[in-house]
Amino acid sequence: MARKAPERDINEEELEVGGRSEAAAGVKGVLVSLQRSWEQMGLARTVRTLPLLNQQSGFDCPGCAWPDPRQEEGGHRKIAEFCENGAKAVAEEATTRRVGPEFFAAHPVAELAERTDYWLGQQGRITQPVILREGDTHYRPISWEDAFQVIADKLNALDSPDQATFYTSGRASNEAAFAYQLMVRSFGTNNLPDCSNMCHEASGAALTETIGIGKGSVSLADVEQADLVVVVGQNPGTNHPRMLTSLEKVKRNGGKIIAINPLPETGLMRFKNPQTARGVIGSGTALADEFAQIRVSGDLVLFKALNSLILKADAVDHEFIRDHTHGYEEFAAQAGDVDWQEVEQVTGLPQQQVERIAGMLMRSERTVFCWAMGLTQHKKSVPTIREIVNLALLRGMIGKPGAGLCPVRGHSNVQGDRTMGIWEKMPDSFLDALDAEFGIKSPRHHGLDTVDSIRAMREGKVKAFIGLGGNFVAASPDTGATSEALRSCELTVQISTKLNRSHVTPGKTALILPTLGRTERDVQASGPQFVTVEDSMSVVHASRGRLAPASQHLLSEVAIISRLARHLLGSDHPVPWEEFERDYDTIREHIANVVPGCADYNRKVRQPDGFVLPHPPRDSRTFPTSTGKANFTVNVPEKLHIPEGRLLLQTMRSHDQYNTTIYGLSDRYRGIEGGRRVVLVNSEDLEELGFRDGQVVDVVSEWTTSDGKQQERRAPSFRLVSYPTPKGCAAAYYPEANALVPLDSVGEISNTPASKSVVIRLEAR
Ligand SMILES: Nc1nc2c(c(=O)[nH]1)N[C@H]1C(S)=C(S)[C@@H](COP(=O)(O)OP(=O)(O)OC[C@H]3O[C@@H](n4cnc5c(=O)[nH]c(N)nc54)[C@H](O)[C@@H]3O)O[C@H]1N2
Ligand SMILES: Nc1nc2c(c(=O)[nH]1)N[C@H]1C(S)=C(S)[C@@H](COP(=O)(O)OP(=O)(O)OC[C@H]3O[C@@H](n4cnc5c(=O)[nH]c(N)nc54)[C@H](O)[C@@H]3O)O[C@H]1N2
Ligand code: SF4
Ligand SMILES: [Mo]
């Protein structure tokens, strides 16, 4: 039976809505990072830990994938090369709180299921492997050897390897990811869903089709040298805070910034850099020169209009188009005149502003386009991103300094995991290289992604779930359906650092395998190990954990995978699993032979700033696409039907969480403190719909299935907050609002949950 997620985080009376902050970061940001670090790890550990963050000899921040400055590009690392939210990410992992056997003995799973995500995460690091056997009420300790045997026996008893699905969250290192996909493919399936399926999948799909590689084309230096940076559907002040330092440099160099967002996010407006006097005592730096407060899901129509204006003014780079692109004539022919009525209706932006933005784009010689989840989690995400590529191609903004495409990645190693083969549809060339290297036979039929894995579990086609990190239940759409799906499995295994909702929605047999985090020392038989990661700009570098492990019983992710593989695949398997665990250099030797661009990997990752993976469009304006050129595409918007009295809801992050990990209850920049069950609604909408600020309502989403059935999903008890969001658009926090996202509401091509365009109505309680 599916259980309901808890309804309340805290007493609603404690929820306070005050003024929004005018500038991001500042001294307050520094104080909050120190306070949280102190609470979780105490003074001595704080003093030891934070200075190692993002330094060449330390560990990579387990927060986001924003890159570090590199000497080669004229950058240098400061003594404190991290942000408030990076410090919180570290404090969360390096906490001194522990979840040991006594904890599990004291709390039955049914009781834990009633707790909030926040409470679960705050209990601390898990110290020992535990198992919940069929019929048991509590998790109990189990030895590592027994745990691996139970898992191997159950997986080997399946009718087919395709009855298991192997999820990955983007914190796994390159070494762990490479070993994991190798184990999964040796076992015989490509069922390798990952968090990217819910994140930048649409960016990868759109970029691969149009420029031939699914990664961004800029370096950190490019962003900082741009004369115009367009930030669309991204909240960097919270989710990529050090990006503000780069945006500040853009402004110092005389460049301009355009922010396109339904919300006036503080970090897009003004930045107080705590490392400069101006940021400490002055009013900081104003960022966005133009803030386009777009309606949710209006971006495709906006970018089509901008492209039409650019074409009409003939402000295009004819030479670039002639030499490097394909499909221009067809694209230009369909562009036509702007339908201003449609633009105003769909985007909510006035004609003058759209024309001003077009003018800025036409005058710019070096434009960088940055985007994140505000673009990728809609039905039309792939066409929208393709339309931004059209714009970049029209203006020749790829493969020259200070210009390019910049999908800003989320998890610190989500891009690296893909490079290492975590994908349900890796190309045959990769699988051929893998097979040749190890003498295995990888399956060639594609596997299941995240949404299809959930469907397959519900239909009984998948009976085992293994998660390398992450929190599948809380991160996935349609919380009710997903928890039912996991509970229906014969086996669920979570390789985790901390407790989360996925541990309390167990399959018939469930195991938690606790692992070392990025901050911790990883010592194996050959000595201390390091791992490697890839940031959002394709820089691969080493990360060395330096803290004592949270418990002596923990194994590294690589060790867990290697040992599980030996149990699962037998001792005569051709992959040298024991060597993998003994010395991570051996894994890297194989990565060098299999993964494109990774030749000489062991040497190159030991360079102080690592190395940059090849990117043909960025490096040489060559485009490995089906046509051999960069492809223009024709993208057709769809009129979203939002019935009378309904709102379009986006689900987003607060300033005090990391995805499903809730650090605290303070969304400081938006002025929302003490609680998370809130819906932000425009004041005029509130009035027209007959509600008032502060009222507690149920939020109900409405969805029509492909065969015409009406479905409803309900999330109870949300407090209404009158907020400057565009009319007709609402916002609530993820994961609390995931219960509202229909499993079948996904992006075209990407199959990504459309978690930023959910049709809802409000109901008085
Ligand atoms: N501190 C912290 N850092 C993080 C994370 C975290 O949870 N906490 N998560 C990490 C991960 S995995 C990711 S993917 C990134 C996410 O980074 P973001 O993409 O910045 O995260 P979201 O909060 O989902 O915010 C999306 C932004 O898009 C806007 N938006 C919503 N709908 C639309 C739309 O239709 N059009 C436009 N133009 N804008 C829209 C929202 O108002 C919001 O400002 O951050 C990473 N970094
Ligand atoms: N409605 C809605 N849904 C969304 C989104 C949204 O914007 N709106 N965003 C989507 C996005 S962009 C993403 S990326 C996904 C995120 O989906 P996930 O990556 O699955 O979720 P996280 O919350 O990042 O995972 C947190 C858990 O990872 C474990 N963990 C932390 N560090 C480590 C480690 O070093 N090793 C291991 N093995 N485990 C570790 C901890 O147990 C922790 O509880 O959610 C998606 N879901
Ligand atoms: S910007 Fe991202 S990677 Fe950098 S310190 Fe902050 S959270 Fe960590
Ligand atoms: Mo993400």
Side-chain angles (χ1 to χ4, degrees), residues 349-369:
L349 303 175
Q351 177 173 350
Q352 299 87 316
Q353 186 174 34
V354 178
E355 286 174 341
R356 264 199 323 270
I357 291 175
M360 290 167 80
L361 287 162
M362 291 190 234
R363 283 190 298 277
S364 164
E365 285 165 13
R366 296 181 307 281
T367 317
V368 169
F369 301 90

PDB file of all heavy atoms in Angstrom, residues 349-369:
ATOM      1  N   LEU A 349       5.189  39.303 -21.809  1.00  0.00           N
ATOM      2  CA  LEU A 349       6.181  40.383 -21.949  1.00  0.00           C
ATOM      3  C   LEU A 349       5.701  41.409 -22.963  1.00  0.00           C
ATOM      4  O   LEU A 349       5.186  41.053 -24.020  1.00  0.00           O
ATOM      5  CB  LEU A 349       7.530  39.808 -22.410  1.00  0.00           C
ATOM      6  CG  LEU A 349       8.128  38.716 -21.519  1.00  0.00           C
ATOM      7  CD1 LEU A 349       9.401  38.157 -22.148  1.00  0.00           C
ATOM      8  CD2 LEU A 349       8.422  39.254 -20.122  1.00  0.00           C
ATOM      9  N   PRO A 350       5.900  42.691 -22.666  1.00  0.00           N
ATOM     10  CA  PRO A 350       5.496  43.721 -23.620  1.00  0.00           C
ATOM     11  C   PRO A 350       6.402  43.747 -24.853  1.00  0.00           C
ATOM     12  O   PRO A 350       7.592  43.429 -24.763  1.00  0.00           O
ATOM     13  CB  PRO A 350       5.641  45.019 -22.821  1.00  0.00           C
ATOM     14  CG  PRO A 350       6.497  44.701 -21.654  1.00  0.00           C
ATOM     15  CD  PRO A 350       6.430  43.235 -21.405  1.00  0.00           C
ATOM     16  N   GLN A 351       5.819  44.155 -25.973  1.00  0.00           N
ATOM     17  CA  GLN A 351       6.561  44.204 -27.241  1.00  0.00           C
ATOM     18  C   GLN A 351       7.863  44.997 -27.113  1.00  0.00           C
ATOM     19  O   GLN A 351       8.913  44.564 -27.587  1.00  0.00           O
ATOM     20  CB  GLN A 351       5.663  44.824 -28.327  1.00  0.00           C
ATOM     21  CG  GLN A 351       6.373  44.992 -29.661  1.00  0.00           C
ATOM     22  CD  GLN A 351       5.429  45.455 -30.767  1.00  0.00           C
ATOM     23  OE1 GLN A 351       4.209  45.477 -30.596  1.00  0.00           O
ATOM     24  NE2 GLN A 351       5.990  45.820 -31.900  1.00  0.00           N
ATOM     25  N   GLN A 352       7.789  46.160 -26.432  1.00  0.00           N
ATOM     26  CA  GLN A 352       8.983  47.004 -26.339  1.00  0.00           C
ATOM     27  C   GLN A 352      10.139  46.249 -25.670  1.00  0.00           C
ATOM     28  O   GLN A 352      11.287  46.390 -26.055  1.00  0.00           O
ATOM     29  CB  GLN A 352       8.729  48.282 -25.508  1.00  0.00           C
ATOM     30  CG  GLN A 352       7.677  49.210 -26.053  1.00  0.00           C
ATOM     31  CD  GLN A 352       6.286  48.810 -25.551  1.00  0.00           C
ATOM     32  OE1 GLN A 352       5.934  47.618 -25.536  1.00  0.00           O
ATOM     33  NE2 GLN A 352       5.489  49.776 -25.143  1.00  0.00           N
ATOM     34  N   GLN A 353       9.804  45.472 -24.637  1.00  0.00           N
ATOM     35  CA  GLN A 353      10.885  44.764 -23.946  1.00  0.00           C
ATOM     36  C   GLN A 353      11.501  43.690 -24.843  1.00  0.00           C
ATOM     37  O   GLN A 353      12.719  43.529 -24.893  1.00  0.00           O
ATOM     38  CB  GLN A 353      10.386  44.131 -22.640  1.00  0.00           C
ATOM     39  CG  GLN A 353      11.546  43.518 -21.860  1.00  0.00           C
ATOM     40  CD  GLN A 353      11.172  42.988 -20.499  1.00  0.00           C
ATOM     41  OE1 GLN A 353      10.063  42.494 -20.311  1.00  0.00           O
ATOM     42  NE2 GLN A 353      12.089  43.089 -19.554  1.00  0.00           N
ATOM     43  N   VAL A 354      10.646  42.963 -25.560  1.00  0.00           N
ATOM     44  CA  VAL A 354      11.164  41.924 -26.453  1.00  0.00           C
ATOM     45  C   VAL A 354      12.047  42.581 -27.523  1.00  0.00           C
ATOM     46  O   VAL A 354      13.127  42.081 -27.854  1.00  0.00           O
ATOM     47  CB  VAL A 354      10.006  41.122 -27.083  1.00  0.00           C
ATOM     48  CG1 VAL A 354      10.536  40.070 -28.055  1.00  0.00           C
ATOM     49  CG2 VAL A 354       9.174  40.449 -25.990  1.00  0.00           C
ATOM     50  N   GLU A 355      11.635  43.723 -28.010  1.00  0.00           N
ATOM     51  CA  GLU A 355      12.443  44.424 -29.020  1.00  0.00           C
ATOM     52  C   GLU A 355      13.759  44.928 -28.428  1.00  0.00           C
ATOM     53  O   GLU A 355      14.808  44.868 -29.066  1.00  0.00           O
ATOM     54  CB  GLU A 355      11.640  45.584 -29.624  1.00  0.00           C
ATOM     55  CG  GLU A 355      10.563  45.053 -30.583  1.00  0.00           C
ATOM     56  CD  GLU A 355       9.617  46.124 -31.109  1.00  0.00           C
ATOM     57  OE1 GLU A 355       9.529  47.216 -30.497  1.00  0.00           O
ATOM     58  OE2 GLU A 355       8.954  45.845 -32.123  1.00  0.00           O
ATOM     59  N   ARG A 356      13.687  45.400 -27.179  1.00  0.00           N
ATOM     60  CA  ARG A 356      14.931  45.840 -26.518  1.00  0.00           C
ATOM     61  C   ARG A 356      15.910  44.678 -26.389  1.00  0.00           C
ATOM     62  O   ARG A 356      17.102  44.799 -26.653  1.00  0.00           O
ATOM     63  CB  ARG A 356      14.602  46.367 -25.122  1.00  0.00           C
ATOM     64  CG  ARG A 356      14.446  47.849 -25.038  1.00  0.00           C
ATOM     65  CD  ARG A 356      14.569  48.405 -23.633  1.00  0.00           C
ATOM     66  NE  ARG A 356      14.036  47.634 -22.541  1.00  0.00           N
ATOM     67  CZ  ARG A 356      12.772  47.726 -22.071  1.00  0.00           C
ATOM     68  NH1 ARG A 356      11.911  48.553 -22.637  1.00  0.00           N
ATOM     69  NH2 ARG A 356      12.387  47.000 -21.036  1.00  0.00           N
ATOM     70  N   ILE A 357      15.384  43.519 -25.969  1.00  0.00           N
ATOM     71  CA  ILE A 357      16.246  42.339 -25.795  1.00  0.00           C
ATOM     72  C   ILE A 357      16.841  41.933 -27.141  1.00  0.00           C
ATOM     73  O   ILE A 357      18.033  41.626 -27.252  1.00  0.00           O
ATOM     74  CB  ILE A 357      15.450  41.192 -25.141  1.00  0.00           C
ATOM     75  CG1 ILE A 357      15.125  41.572 -23.690  1.00  0.00           C
ATOM     76  CG2 ILE A 357      16.221  39.886 -25.194  1.00  0.00           C
ATOM     77  CD1 ILE A 357      14.239  40.577 -22.974  1.00  0.00           C
ATOM     78  N   ALA A 358      16.003  41.957 -28.184  1.00  0.00           N
ATOM     79  CA  ALA A 358      16.508  41.613 -29.521  1.00  0.00           C
ATOM     80  C   ALA A 358      17.634  42.568 -29.906  1.00  0.00           C
ATOM     81  O   ALA A 358      18.668  42.144 -30.443  1.00  0.00           O
ATOM     82  CB  ALA A 358      15.371  41.677 -30.538  1.00  0.00           C
ATOM     83  N   GLY A 359      17.462  43.851 -29.593  1.00  0.00           N
ATOM     84  CA  GLY A 359      18.498  44.845 -29.903  1.00  0.00           C
ATOM     85  C   GLY A 359      19.811  44.525 -29.189  1.00  0.00           C
ATOM     86  O   GLY A 359      20.894  44.599 -29.770  1.00  0.00           O
ATOM     87  N   MET A 360      19.707  44.135 -27.909  1.00  0.00           N
ATOM     88  CA  MET A 360      20.926  43.801 -27.154  1.00  0.00           C
ATOM     89  C   MET A 360      21.625  42.592 -27.784  1.00  0.00           C
ATOM     90  O   MET A 360      22.851  42.553 -27.895  1.00  0.00           O
ATOM     91  CB  MET A 360      20.565  43.485 -25.693  1.00  0.00           C
ATOM     92  CG  MET A 360      20.116  44.718 -24.901  1.00  0.00           C
ATOM     93  SD  MET A 360      19.342  44.291 -23.327  1.00  0.00           S
ATOM     94  CE  MET A 360      20.787  43.984 -22.295  1.00  0.00           C
ATOM     95  N   LEU A 361      20.819  41.607 -28.197  1.00  0.00           N
ATOM     96  CA  LEU A 361      21.396  40.410 -28.826  1.00  0.00           C
ATOM     97  C   LEU A 361      22.074  40.778 -30.151  1.00  0.00           C
ATOM     98  O   LEU A 361      23.141  40.264 -30.483  1.00  0.00           O
ATOM     99  CB  LEU A 361      20.305  39.359 -29.068  1.00  0.00           C
ATOM    100  CG  LEU A 361      19.786  38.648 -27.818  1.00  0.00           C
ATOM    101  CD1 LEU A 361      18.439  37.980 -28.090  1.00  0.00           C
ATOM    102  CD2 LEU A 361      20.803  37.618 -27.332  1.00  0.00           C
ATOM    103  N   MET A 362      21.444  41.683 -30.911  1.00  0.00           N
ATOM    104  CA  MET A 362      21.999  42.048 -32.220  1.00  0.00           C
ATOM    105  C   MET A 362      23.293  42.837 -32.084  1.00  0.00           C
ATOM    106  O   MET A 362      24.175  42.742 -32.907  1.00  0.00           O
ATOM    107  CB  MET A 362      20.968  42.861 -33.010  1.00  0.00           C
ATOM    108  CG  MET A 362      19.754  42.034 -33.440  1.00  0.00           C
ATOM    109  SD  MET A 362      18.731  42.959 -34.587  1.00  0.00           S
ATOM    110  CE  MET A 362      17.135  42.883 -33.838  1.00  0.00           C
ATOM    111  N   ARG A 363      23.400  43.629 -31.008  1.00  0.00           N
ATOM    112  CA  ARG A 363      24.619  44.434 -30.816  1.00  0.00           C
ATOM    113  C   ARG A 363      25.766  43.625 -30.208  1.00  0.00           C
ATOM    114  O   ARG A 363      26.919  44.005 -30.316  1.00  0.00           O
ATOM    115  CB  ARG A 363      24.306  45.637 -29.911  1.00  0.00           C
ATOM    116  CG  ARG A 363      23.555  46.762 -30.619  1.00  0.00           C
ATOM    117  CD  ARG A 363      23.486  48.006 -29.740  1.00  0.00           C
ATOM    118  NE  ARG A 363      22.760  47.765 -28.497  1.00  0.00           N
ATOM    119  CZ  ARG A 363      21.431  47.803 -28.382  1.00  0.00           C
ATOM    120  NH1 ARG A 363      20.686  48.063 -29.429  1.00  0.00           N
ATOM    121  NH2 ARG A 363      20.835  47.576 -27.219  1.00  0.00           N
ATOM    122  N   SER A 364      25.419  42.528 -29.557  1.00  0.00           N
ATOM    123  CA  SER A 364      26.456  41.776 -28.839  1.00  0.00           C
ATOM    124  C   SER A 364      27.388  41.056 -29.802  1.00  0.00           C
ATOM    125  O   SER A 364      26.967  40.457 -30.784  1.00  0.00           O
ATOM    126  CB  SER A 364      25.788  40.755 -27.911  1.00  0.00           C
ATOM    127  OG  SER A 364      26.735  39.790 -27.497  1.00  0.00           O
ATOM    128  N   GLU A 365      28.670  41.098 -29.470  1.00  0.00           N
ATOM    129  CA  GLU A 365      29.648  40.344 -30.274  1.00  0.00           C
ATOM    130  C   GLU A 365      30.034  39.040 -29.592  1.00  0.00           C
ATOM    131  O   GLU A 365      30.590  38.151 -30.213  1.00  0.00           O
ATOM    132  CB  GLU A 365      30.897  41.199 -30.507  1.00  0.00           C
ATOM    133  CG  GLU A 365      30.617  42.264 -31.548  1.00  0.00           C
ATOM    134  CD  GLU A 365      31.670  43.352 -31.573  1.00  0.00           C
ATOM    135  OE1 GLU A 365      32.747  43.177 -30.967  1.00  0.00           O
ATOM    136  OE2 GLU A 365      31.389  44.385 -32.214  1.00  0.00           O
ATOM    137  N   ARG A 366      29.761  38.964 -28.301  1.00  0.00           N
ATOM    138  CA  ARG A 366      30.115  37.748 -27.566  1.00  0.00           C
ATOM    139  C   ARG A 366      28.975  37.435 -26.585  1.00  0.00           C
ATOM    140  O   ARG A 366      28.920  38.002 -25.501  1.00  0.00           O
ATOM    141  CB  ARG A 366      31.412  37.964 -26.772  1.00  0.00           C
ATOM    142  CG  ARG A 366      32.643  38.230 -27.636  1.00  0.00           C
ATOM    143  CD  ARG A 366      33.906  38.423 -26.798  1.00  0.00           C
ATOM    144  NE  ARG A 366      33.744  39.443 -25.774  1.00  0.00           N
ATOM    145  CZ  ARG A 366      33.813  40.761 -25.987  1.00  0.00           C
ATOM    146  NH1 ARG A 366      34.066  41.225 -27.191  1.00  0.00           N
ATOM    147  NH2 ARG A 366      33.652  41.608 -24.990  1.00  0.00           N
ATOM    148  N   THR A 367      28.075  36.553 -26.995  1.00  0.00           N
ATOM    149  CA  THR A 367      26.941  36.214 -26.126  1.00  0.00           C
ATOM    150  C   THR A 367      27.103  34.798 -25.570  1.00  0.00           C
ATOM    151  O   THR A 367      27.442  33.876 -26.314  1.00  0.00           O
ATOM    152  CB  THR A 367      25.610  36.242 -26.912  1.00  0.00           C
ATOM    153  OG1 THR A 367      25.590  37.386 -27.755  1.00  0.00           O
ATOM    154  CG2 THR A 367      24.417  36.254 -25.985  1.00  0.00           C
ATOM    155  N   VAL A 368      26.831  34.653 -24.279  1.00  0.00           N
ATOM    156  CA  VAL A 368      26.746  33.320 -23.667  1.00  0.00           C
ATOM    157  C   VAL A 368      25.305  33.104 -23.206  1.00  0.00           C
ATOM    158  O   VAL A 368      24.697  34.001 -22.613  1.00  0.00           O
ATOM    159  CB  VAL A 368      27.716  33.183 -22.471  1.00  0.00           C
ATOM    160  CG1 VAL A 368      27.436  31.909 -21.682  1.00  0.00           C
ATOM    161  CG2 VAL A 368      29.166  33.181 -22.955  1.00  0.00           C
ATOM    162  N   PHE A 369      24.760  31.933 -23.518  1.00  0.00           N
ATOM    163  CA  PHE A 369      23.398  31.578 -23.104  1.00  0.00           C
ATOM    164  C   PHE A 369      23.479  30.543 -21.991  1.00  0.00           C
ATOM    165  O   PHE A 369      23.981  29.444 -22.211  1.00  0.00           O
ATOM    166  CB  PHE A 369      22.624  30.987 -24.289  1.00  0.00           C
ATOM    167  CG  PHE A 369      22.508  31.924 -25.465  1.00  0.00           C
ATOM    168  CD1 PHE A 369      23.481  31.925 -26.467  1.00  0.00           C
ATOM    169  CD2 PHE A 369      21.439  32.799 -25.563  1.00  0.00           C
ATOM    170  CE1 PHE A 369      23.384  32.796 -27.550  1.00  0.00           C
ATOM    171  CE2 PHE A 369      21.333  33.669 -26.652  1.00  0.00           C
ATOM    172  CZ  PHE A 369      22.313  33.671 -27.642  1.00  0.00           C
TER     173      PHE A 369
END
